[in-house]
Every structure is written in structure tokens, then in C-alpha cells.
């Protein structure tokens, strides 16, 4: 008898990206707007873009450095480029904001519904493990995740295969049997390239990326993951 | 007798990035401004950022696609994100602009001075070979370059080592003996990470990148390369 087609494999786990997916980075923009009225959005966008750029350049060139430090480097460059004076007090406030992100309010119910359906859960993040642990605890998500997987374990960043390999190894199944959930379209697409079943949380109604591959599923909220995951469990 | 320190090795060649370094991409922004008054800068910045992002994601995930096609993909995404209607005629005009970039006026004299000093010259570019050949010819740079090296030869993009390996292989010397010149700070830094002696052409007076490494040399014009290169030849 032939093996079932990969798309028909039952899901064995649901794995989440952290920043922007489980945890809301909007509070960073709010503080930036307080510090530099009228420039908060520009800074938070430039900061995020530079943070990702540095992670990609370091991944490609084999120059790993923890994400927390990259985040600070990106803040310093972005403020300099935008001509915003960054003194140590402002830097500390902005970085602290990043270390205590709150979860999207709907997320806890969605995660509990997935657990109730018997699905093991995990996090796969570029972020430092200790940063994620703090956010998980403060969001009341203790005990919900079987595995919290961080770039620190492999010293590289998404989208290199080495970091995507962590979840199939941890859950002991094929990538296709894991639903990988990210609010970053590029992450959801690269995860599918790697082999995952992927879900893009498109909270902002962004246009699709032009990368010749779509995420397997798209929704606007983490709650939308529950229907897909429990149907496939 | 001990071998000379790497920094004291005489230069054997000077190798240039193409877009923004030899060829001016400003004409693209001008046309974008004509097509969507008040939005030309926003589009050209978003387009360029997305073009690089797609090249990095594809390099990391082993999903090579020629740079010309990536450039079109990035244009389509960027216009959609900015809400700018892109019909086929506008797309063709913008892409054609990219295929016939003009050189910075000062460049031809600088390249000739380097040749006169006996230094072999090359181009190392993410771009398609045929796009570069057209721009080289229309800039009157025929015959100045010993090697035009393109991402197409290795089917990946900067900053993966495979593309930076092309120039030492072509010129038959160590990377440290090649002066690699780029107007993209990230490219000049990653080239130094790889092993080149690197020169950042900082035309716009941008703040330095926060990557724990500086290019070996910084100047504002291609002419500034001549003094460094001839001193080290």
C-alpha cells in the first residue's frame, strides 16, 4: 500500500514564531513615539528591518551574535540614520520594552484550545532563550509549550536550514507533520521551503510576498490556527 | 624570513560591486517620482530593500532565481504594499530603467587611472551577466575589466561565501590581495569578513553599520579608491 501523500499526514505538533506572532511588538513603537513624537513609526519600522537584515547577514556570513545584541546594534544604527539622538537612558528604556513584550490577548485561548485537542506545542525563535522565557511566563503561558527552541542552540538565524531543523528533531517527526505559525510572511514561506506545513498570520492585511511560494494556510488571528490544526490532528 | 602580514600584501586586483557602486540607480527613483508624484523616493527605497531581502532569503534557503526576476518580484510587492497601481506599461518602464543604468560620471576616469597603474580590474555582482554587460558597454567601460563575475555562475547571492569566492579564483590570488569596492556598507563588511581588503564608497554620508567590523577603507567617491589602490599596488 502506498504511503499517504505528505499533505495528508496528520499533524504531530504546532510550532510558533515568537516576535509579532505570540508577542506584540507594538509597545515598542508606542514608546518610540513618546520619545520622538512623529517619528515612532519610522523608527520602529527601521529598527525591525535592520534587526532582520543584521540577522540575515550574520547567518549568511557565519557571524552569529545573540539576537538581543543584534537588536541593540540595529537600534543604534536606525536612530543614527534617522537623526534621532539616542542617549543611554533612552536606549535602556527601548531595549527593556523589547524584553517584556506582552502577548496578543487572543493567544492564550488559542494555545489552550490546541492543547485541549492533544497537540504538542513549541516555539521556534531567533530570540534569546531567556528573553522568550520571560515573555512566556508574564503571558501566563507557563507549561503550554513542550519545546522552546532558540537560535542560540545552533548559533544561526532563520532562514538557514540549521534553525528550522530544530523542531522536527525535538518533536521526532517530519517537518511536514508540524504546523509552523508565523506572522512574518517570509518566515512562513521559508518554513514551507524547508518542508513544514506553514500558516501565515497576516494581522495587518499585508499583500503576499512575491517568492513563488505561498504559505499553506493564511489567517488573521491565532484563533484561525485552531480550526486548521484540529482538523488535521 | 617570516611572510609579510596580510595587511601588507601588495594588491593584485581591484573588484567592484555594480549597482550603486559603478552604476547609478538614481534614475529609477526619478522615473518612479514621475509615475507617482510624491511617492518616488518611498517606492525606490522599498523596492531596493525588498530586492535585497529576496536575494538574502533565497540565498539562505537555497532558492536561487536570477536577480532580474527578483527585481521584478520586489517591484510588484513594493508597489502593492504602498498602494501604487502597477500596470504592465509602468512595470516595463521601471524595469527598463533598471536595465540601462548610467555610470557615475567620475567613474570612468578612476577606472582608467587604476588600469594605468597596472591593476587588473573586475566586477562582482548579484546582477545578471547580460544586464551588467549592457551597462558596461553604454558607460564606455569596454575592455577595462578582466573579469565580470555574476551570481549566475554560482546561483546564489551575497553574502554567501560561494559568490565571494569567485574573485580570488578568477584572479588567482588571496582575497586579502584584492581591494573590493562597494557602495553598500553591508557588502563591504561581508567582503572583509570573507577575507578581502574592502573599500566602502559612502556617497550619501550614511552612518556606519553596527556589525562589529568596519570596511578597511572608506571614501566618498570612486576617485578615492585610486590613492589607496595605487599606494598598495
Amino acid at each position: 500500500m502506498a504511503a499517504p501523500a505528505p499533505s495528508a499526514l496528520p499533524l504531530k505538533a504546532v510550532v510558533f514564531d515568537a516576535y509579532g506572532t505570540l508577542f506584540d511588538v507594538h509597545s515598542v513603537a508606542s514608546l518610540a513615539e513618546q520619545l520622538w513624537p512623529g517619528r515612532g513609526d519610522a523608527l520602529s519600522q527601521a529598527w525591525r528591518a535592520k534587526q532582520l537584515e543584521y540577522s540575515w547577514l550574520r547567518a549568511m556570513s557565519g557571524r552569529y551574535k545573540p539576537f538581543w545584541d543584534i537588536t541593540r546594534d540595529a537600534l543604534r544604527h536606525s536612530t543614527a540614520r534617522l537623526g534621532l539622538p539616542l542617549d543611554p537612558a533612552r536606549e535602556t528604556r527601548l531595549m527593556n520594552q523589547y524584553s517584556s513584550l506582552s502577548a496578543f490577548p487572543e493567544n492564550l485561548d488559542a494555545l489552550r484550545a490546541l492543547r485541549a485537542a492533544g497537540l504538542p506545542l513549541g516555539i521556534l525563535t531567533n530570540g534569546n532563550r531567556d528573553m522568550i522565557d520571560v515573555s512566556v511566563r508574564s503571558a501566563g503561558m507557563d507549561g503550554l509549550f513542550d519545546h522552546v527552541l532558540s537560535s542560540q542552540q545552533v548559533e544561526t538565524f532563520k532562514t538557514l536550514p540549521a534553525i528550522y531543523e530544530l523542531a522536527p528533531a525535538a518533536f521526532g517527526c517530519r517537518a511536514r507533520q508540524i504546523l509552523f505559525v508565523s506572522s512574518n510572511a517570509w518566515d512562513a514561506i521559508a518554513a514551507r521551503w524547508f518542508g513544514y506545513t506553514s500558516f501565515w498570520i497576516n494581522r495587518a492585511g499585508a499583500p503576499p510576498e512575491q517568492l513563488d511560494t505561498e504559505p499553506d494556510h493564511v489567517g488573521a488571528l491565532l484563533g484561525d490556527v485552531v480550526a486548521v490544526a484540529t482538523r488535521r490532528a
Side-chain angles (χ1 to χ4, degrees), chain A:
Chain A
M1 203 173 81
S7 64
L9 289 175
L11 290 177
K12 300 284 192 192
V14 185
V15 172
F16 298 87
D17 171 58
Y19 297 125
T21 304
L22 292 179
F23 305 112
D24 188 355
V25 295
H26 179 73
S27 58
V28 175
S30 303
L31 176 57
E33 181 64 24
Q34 275 180 50
L35 295 176
W36 297 289
R39 309 298 298 280
D41 263 3
L43 175 60
S44 72
Q45 284 180 36
W47 185 7
R48 171 65 172 166
K50 189 56 69 172
Q51 178 197 49
L52 291 176
E53 179 184 324
Y54 285 174
S55 75
W56 294 331
L57 293 170
R58 287 180 174 279
M60 285 186 287
S61 291
R63 297 276 170 160
Y64 174 80
K65 181 181 186 180
F67 200 64
W68 175 257
D69 301 302
I70 283 179
T71 301
R72 183 190 288 110
D73 292 341
L75 173 60
R76 289 176 180 175
H77 179 81
S78 303
T79 48
R81 180 170 286 269
L82 293 172
L84 305 175
L86 182 72
D87 56 38
R90 286 177 170 186
E91 178 177 298
T92 300
R93 286 185 68 190
L94 284 161
M95 290 297 292
N96 282 348
Q97 205 66 28
Y98 223 94
S99 71
S100 59
L101 296 168
S102 53
F104 291 98
E106 52 129 3
N107 284 3
L108 197 53
D109 282 350
L111 295 171
R112 285 178 174 150
L114 291 167
R115 290 289 291 195
L119 280 159
L121 306 182
I123 292 175
L124 178 61
T125 175
N126 272 342
N128 289 31
R129 176 64 195 257
D130 52 352
M131 292 164 67
I132 297 299
D133 286 346
V134 167
S135 294
V136 164
R137 273 196 302 275
S138 68
M141 294 176 182
D142 287 72
L144 286 176
F145 298 104
D146 299 87
H147 297 286
V148 177
L149 306 165
S150 153
S151 62
Q152 288 179 296
Q153 294 168 244
V154 285
E155 302 210 335
T156 193
F157 297 108
K158 300 172 182 175
T159 66
L160 276 197
I163 182 164
Y164 286 126
E165 281 163 7
L166 287 171
F171 287 96
C173 64
R174 294 169 56 182
R176 197 73 195 146
Q177 296 173 293
I178 297 176
L179 186 65
F180 179 78
V181 182
S182 181
S183 64
N184 299 293
W186 59 268
D187 188 18
I189 289 168
R192 185 168 184 186
W193 282 340
F194 179 84
Y196 288 93
T197 301
S198 75
F199 195 117
W200 176 30
I201 306 281
N202 185 7
R203 295 187 202 275
E209 297 291 348
Q210 299 287 325
L211 286 165
D212 303 321
T213 302
E214 297 295 320
D216 295 272
H217 304 279
V218 182
L221 294 167
L222 213 67
D224 298 331
V225 174
V226 179
V228 168
T230 54
R231 191 174 70 232
R232 293 277 308 277

